[in-house]
């Protein structure tokens, strides 16, 4: 059956999978909703987006995504409040960053209304998939990849933009111990580290695997030149609390301009927490751990919002962080999630009602 929502054609599935899903036991990003948004770029322009049943994609073996890696993505969430209102968190920032990433990889930028109206149409038809259980949400994955064909090393002439969604439970990684990287780099000056390019994440897997073999769960990335400066935590931005100051590195060619990162900085300042956005040396963190002034470290990103770090390893030594009841991590996570789920006022204008 075909209908129109927000000028978007919607082809509904004949049989929903929703009754087969245990919403009380949802693993992150492993169960997928009934529908997806698809939009093709061909003949020099983006075609009309369409909502259709979630399904596989057929590509020619010569599709350039397989050979030259033109692929970018975003991560977002939709929430339901007690009255069944549906909320997004800073969605226009995701749209803007998707286009920033696309431009860097020579992918045609997507019109904002295609992104927003398509997303709204998709969530309207799949709104029953948005869980209401505390800590749960509908994870949203917009992505673009090269579908044009050919073995010649050049940008593709055709692309696909999709939005797929996955109801997910609370993202909790437990006690995370991290290894400060001394050899491998996540990105380099002049590169694509600031973009949400698929290849950035592929390049992280091997060093992370090596860290796991040593008993750590994640890697703290350092700068590509000297490995003297803290940059990111796994696939997240990183914050370090020394005494009562919250420190995070400035964005650059190498560091993703995280939406959660920006929100934490703005919220912390509004709450009177001293925030210092500057380059942070590894030896400063090690010295703070030794003298007791290092209070907290945590990663920040869409999936977990905030993921506390229990300790870190560097040059063969392990350093444990103190166990504290009143942490900035817990306070800021609750403040952000309360805004996201409409449990608290939103003085920043971040919440977007569908």
């Amino acid at each position: 059956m075909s209908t129109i929502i927000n000028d978007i054609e919607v082809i509904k599935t004949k049989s929903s999978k929703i009754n087969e899903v245990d919403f009380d036991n949802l693993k992150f990003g492993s169960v997928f909703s009934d529908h997806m948004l698809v939009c093709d770029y061909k003949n020099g322009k983006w075609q009309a987006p369409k909502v259709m049943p979630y399904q596989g994609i057929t590509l020619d073996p010569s599709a350039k995504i397989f050979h030259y890696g033109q692929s970018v993505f975003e991560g977002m969430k939709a929430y339901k409040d007690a009255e069944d209102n549906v909320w997004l968190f800073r969605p226009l920032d995701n749209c803007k960053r998707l286009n920033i990433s696309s431009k860097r990889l020579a992918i045609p930028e997507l019109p904002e209304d295609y992104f927003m109206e398509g997303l709204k149409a998709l969530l309207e038809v799949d709104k029953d998939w948005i869980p209401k259980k505390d800590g749960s949400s509908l994870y949203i994955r917009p992505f673009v990849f090269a579908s044009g064909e050919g073995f010649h090393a050049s940008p593709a002439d055709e692309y696909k933009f999709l939005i797929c969604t996955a109801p997910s439970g609370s993202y909790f990684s437990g006690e995370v111990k991290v290894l400060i990287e001394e050899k491998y780099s996540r990105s380099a000056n002049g590169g694509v580290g600031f973009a949400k390019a698929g290849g950035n994440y592929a390049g992280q897997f091997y060093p992370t695997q090596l860290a796991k073999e040593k008993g750590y769960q994640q890697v703290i990335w350092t700068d590509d030149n000297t490995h003297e400066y803290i940059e990111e935590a796994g696939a997240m931005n990183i914050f370090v609390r020394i005494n009562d100051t919250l420190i995070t590195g400035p964005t650059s060619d190498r560091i993703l301009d995280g939406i959660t990162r920006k929100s934490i900085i703005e919220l912390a300042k509004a709450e009177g927490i001293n925030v210092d956005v500057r380059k942070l040396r590894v030896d400063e963190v090690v010295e703070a751990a030794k003298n007791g002034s290092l209070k907290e470290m945590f990663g920040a990103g869409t999936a977990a919002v905030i993921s506390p770090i229990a300790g870190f390893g560097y040059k063969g030594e392990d350093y444990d962080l103190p166990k504290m009841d009143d942490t900035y991590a817990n306070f800021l996570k609750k403040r952000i999630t309360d805004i996201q789920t409409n449990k608290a006022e939103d003085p920043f204008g971040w919440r977007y009602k569908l």
Side-chain angles (χ1 to χ4, degrees):
M1 183 177 68
S2 177
T3 58
I4 301 295
I5 300 176
N6 300 331
D7 295 326
I8 306 291
E9 182 183 3
V10 175
I11 304 170
K12 292 187 177 180
T13 183
K14 294 179 181 178
S15 179
S16 175
K17 308 184 298 287
I18 197 166
N19 292 328
E20 303 169 13
V21 177
D22 181 0
F23 279 84
D24 290 325
N25 295 285
L26 289 169
K27 290 184 178 180
F28 180 80
S30 59
V31 175
F32 305 101
S33 312
D34 282 330
H35 299 87
M36 62 185 188
L37 182 83
V38 179
C39 183
D40 289 304
Y41 180 91
K42 56 186 178 181
N43 300 323
K45 64 179 183 179
W46 287 103
Q47 309 300 305
K50 181 185 298 186
V51 173
M52 61 179 60
Y54 185 89
Q55 59 192 274
I57 300 169
T58 299
L59 293 173
D60 192 274
S62 70
K64 291 198 172 185
I65 178 57
F66 301 134
H67 307 279
Y68 303 112
Q70 280 182 288
S71 173
V72 298
F73 70 94
E74 277 296 321
M76 311 167 62
K77 288 179 179 179
Y79 309 86
K80 266 186 183 173
D81 64 18
E83 284 72 43
D84 280 346
N85 296 307
V86 177
W87 301 91
L88 298 170
F89 186 72
R90 307 186 71 166
L92 292 174
D93 286 351
N94 289 103
C95 179
K96 179 180 178 182
R97 191 173 62 183
L98 183 75
N99 279 333
I100 289 172
S101 299
S102 293
K103 185 176 182 179
R104 180 61 182 83
L105 271 72
I107 296 171
E109 296 176 51
L110 186 80
E112 182 181 291
D113 60 334
Y114 280 34
F115 184 98
M116 289 303 300
E117 297 307 313
L119 176 58
K120 287 189 280 188
L122 177 62
L123 294 180
E124 175 63 29
V125 74
D126 272 349
K127 60 187 175 184
D128 290 344
W129 284 86
I130 306 173
K132 290 182 66 173
K133 185 177 180 180
D134 195 40
S136 298
S137 61
L138 185 72
Y139 184 77
I140 302 167
R141 172 55 60 87
F143 59 105
V144 186
F145 64 89
S147 56
E149 301 166 5
F151 290 149
H152 46 291
S154 62
D157 57 0
E158 294 186 1
Y159 297 85
K160 279 188 177 292
F161 167 63
L162 288 88
I163 303 179
C164 300
T165 62
S168 297
S170 181
Y171 189 101
F172 178 67
S173 53
E175 293 275 303
V176 176
K177 296 195 72 172
V178 298
L179 180 66
I180 296 180
E181 185 57 55
E182 300 174 57
K183 176 181 178 181
Y184 296 100
S185 298
R186 175 188 172 275
S187 57
N189 287 328
V192 297
F194 68 90
K196 284 190 75 71
N200 288 346
Y201 298 81
Q204 294 185 29
F205 294 152
Y206 178 65
T208 302
Q209 180 181 316
L210 295 179
K212 288 180 177 179
E213 291 171 359
K214 296 177 181 178
Y216 303 93
Q217 286 77 48
Q218 267 299 352
V219 168
I220 295 291
W221 300 105
T222 50
D223 68 285
D224 65 302
N225 188 26
T226 64
H227 295 288
E228 293 178 0
Y229 295 95
I230 297 285
E231 296 211 323
E232 293 201 351
M236 309 175 80
N237 294 119
I238 186 169
F239 286 81
V240 175
R241 176 184 173 185
I242 297 179
N243 291 318
D244 290 331
T245 298
L246 201 57
I247 307 167
T248 191
T251 55
S252 67
D253 286 349
R254 302 184 308 275
I255 298 178
L256 182 72
D257 187 13
I259 293 167
T260 306
R261 171 191 176 275
K262 292 191 291 189
S263 304
I264 288 172
I265 292 170
E266 194 170 346
L267 179 59
K269 288 180 177 179
E271 294 289 346
I273 296 172
N274 187 35
V275 179
D276 199 358
V277 180
R278 64 171 173 83
K279 295 176 70 174
L280 178 63
R281 294 179 65 93
V282 174
D283 58 12
E284 182 181 352
V285 176
V286 171
E287 179 58 30
K290 290 178 177 178
N291 65 31
S293 61
L294 179 64
K295 306 301 184 185
E296 297 179 66
M297 297 172 67
F298 56 84
T302 297
V305 183
I306 288 175
S307 181
I309 293 169
F312 69 90
Y314 183 62
K315 291 189 180 298
E317 295 288 332
D318 282 332
Y319 302 87
D320 292 325
L321 275 74
K323 295 187 180 298
M324 301 167 56
D325 293 327
D326 299 322
T327 64
Y328 286 172
N330 289 339
F331 173 73
L332 293 169
K333 182 172 183 176
K334 185 176 189 307
R335 289 285 287 112
I336 288 177
T337 55
D338 282 353
I339 291 173
Q340 290 172 332
T341 55
N342 197 30
K343 293 178 181 177
E345 293 297 316
D346 175 17
F348 308 98
W350 292 335
R351 204 163 48 217
Y352 185 100
K353 187 177 182 181
L354 290 186

